[in-house]
Amino acid sequence: MSEQSPAPFLLIERDGPVLTARLNRPETRNALTDPAHMDELVALCRQIRADHSIKALVLTGEGTAFCAGGNVKDMQQRGGIFAGSPYQVRDSYRDTIQRIPLALYELDVPVIAAVNGPAIGAGLDLACMCDIRIASDKALFAESFVKVGIVPGDGGAWLLPRVIGMPKASLLAFTGDTIDAAKALSWGLVADVFPTDQLLGQAQALAQRIALNPSHALRLTKRLLREGQHVRLDTLLELSSAYQALSHHTEDHLEAVNAFLDKRPAQFTGR
């Protein structure tokens, strides 16, 4: 008998221009340790970036957790990406989990994290890699690396302060404390909180509202927001004028203007 191939880590479904991807290892609370799982996330980003008919991505978890971060049993046994010499572990991080923030950062499509349960360690950082976060009322959040004697190895020290500011990010990173959805909302970590049974529907509805807009405008707007995090104002203005010139010469821009003046829904073609 041939061995069964393992189930995919990502369950993908498509509804028109919106993709929903579910982390599909509920038995490990969707922990991020297996390099093959990380490859799937990176490959999905590459696929979406090349397909201009996709306008938004919803990322969530199967089961009761969003993502429990790294697998602590693998840490104990020095297995998975934690195996080998210090030099090998460094390379493991660079070749596996650190590819995820880079892939999501370079993805021009808006990404919504529907945080359905605990988002711990790398799970919190994964949520912070997304553009918008909404949460279940049962969601929990922790930048918990210090609790197991390690540091944020996946970009959390860059991501979290940009989402909630340095003082609150420092508090979470230095204590490893867990906060609930209500506090996450008050801190601006998430944009909204919903009952668990409504969360995914709300995330998908938001994604569809985003997807009503022209794909070129969405992608260029996301790129401007990304670039605005690290360039001077004059540099961003120069980039904005170039992107605006491109946008003014698209068919979808003209269709949007005509639809607005005609008081009718726009019909975009991606051109």
Side-chain angles (χ1 to χ4, degrees):
M1 289 177 58
S2 60
E3 284 187 15
Q4 273 192 318
S5 21
F9 180 59
L10 295 177
L11 296 179
I12 310 293
E13 59 187 70
R14 181 164 183 170
D15 182 8
V18 172
L19 279 190
T20 299
R22 304 169 190 254
L23 309 182
N24 182 35
R25 284 298 181 275
E27 69 277 8
T28 65
R29 294 159 62 83
N30 302 318
L32 283 172
T33 300
D34 189 330
H37 300 167
M38 301 171 202
D39 288 344
E40 284 189 46
L41 274 165
V42 172
L44 176 65
C45 292
R46 187 166 55 245
Q47 170 199 336
I48 294 172
R49 193 174 181 191
D51 185 347
H52 283 252
S53 68
I54 299 171
K55 295 185 179 182
L57 170 66
V58 175
L59 185 64
T60 192
E62 278 287 286
T64 58
F66 176 71
C67 177
N71 190 317
V72 179
K73 289 183 179 177
D74 281 353
M75 294 181 195
Q76 181 188 48
Q77 296 162 9
R78 301 267 172 100
I81 67 170
F82 313 118
S85 68
Y87 187 85
Q88 289 170 315
V89 173
R90 172 177 174 261
D91 275 351
S92 288
Y93 271 83
R94 296 169 73 191
D95 294 339
T96 59
I97 197 165
Q98 289 185 354
R99 296 170 61 213
I100 297 173
L102 294 172
L104 284 167
Y105 190 84
E106 290 299 320
L107 180 59
D108 294 329
V109 165
V111 183
I112 301 165
V115 184
N116 55 300
I120 307 300
L124 171 55
D125 294 344
L126 178 62
C128 289
M129 295 170 203
C130 302
D131 303 293
I132 301 167
R133 287 156 297 283
I134 63 174
S136 153
D137 53 9
K138 293 185 170 55
L140 299 170
F141 303 86
E143 189 76 347
S144 56
F145 299 92
V146 70
K147 290 288 191 183
V148 289
I150 56 175
V151 303
D154 56 358
W158 190 91
L159 294 157
L160 191 59
R162 282 167 167 76
V163 175
I164 60 174
M166 186 61 80
K168 290 185 175 68
S170 298
L171 179 61
L172 287 184
F174 295 158
T175 64
D177 286 350
T178 299
I179 62 172
D180 61 16
K183 181 163 280 191
L185 180 63
S186 71
W187 282 11
L189 179 57
V190 299
D192 218 334
V193 175
F194 298 98
T196 301
D197 61 351
Q198 297 178 23
L199 175 68
L200 186 57
Q202 292 285 347
Q204 290 171 331
L206 173 57
Q208 292 290 353
R209 290 208 321 269
I210 290 170
L212 290 174
N213 297 302
S215 59
H216 78 273
L218 285 172
R219 289 177 179 236
L220 291 177
T221 297
K222 177 166 175 177
R223 181 50 46 196
L224 281 178
L225 289 169
R226 288 289 199 234
E227 295 300 321
Q229 292 183 298
H230 61 84
V231 301
R232 299 186 329 185
L233 175 59
D234 57 346
T235 303
L236 187 72
L237 289 172
E238 185 64 32
L239 188 59
S240 301
S241 64
Y243 284 5
Q244 197 73 305
L246 292 172
S247 298
H248 275 292
H249 281 266
T250 61
E251 293 178 18
D252 279 350
H253 163 61
L254 186 58
E255 166 63 11
V257 170
N258 289 337
F260 177 80
L261 294 174
D262 295 343
K263 297 183 171 53
R264 61 171 175 81
Q267 300 295 321
F268 298 124
T269 62
R271 297 195 292 272

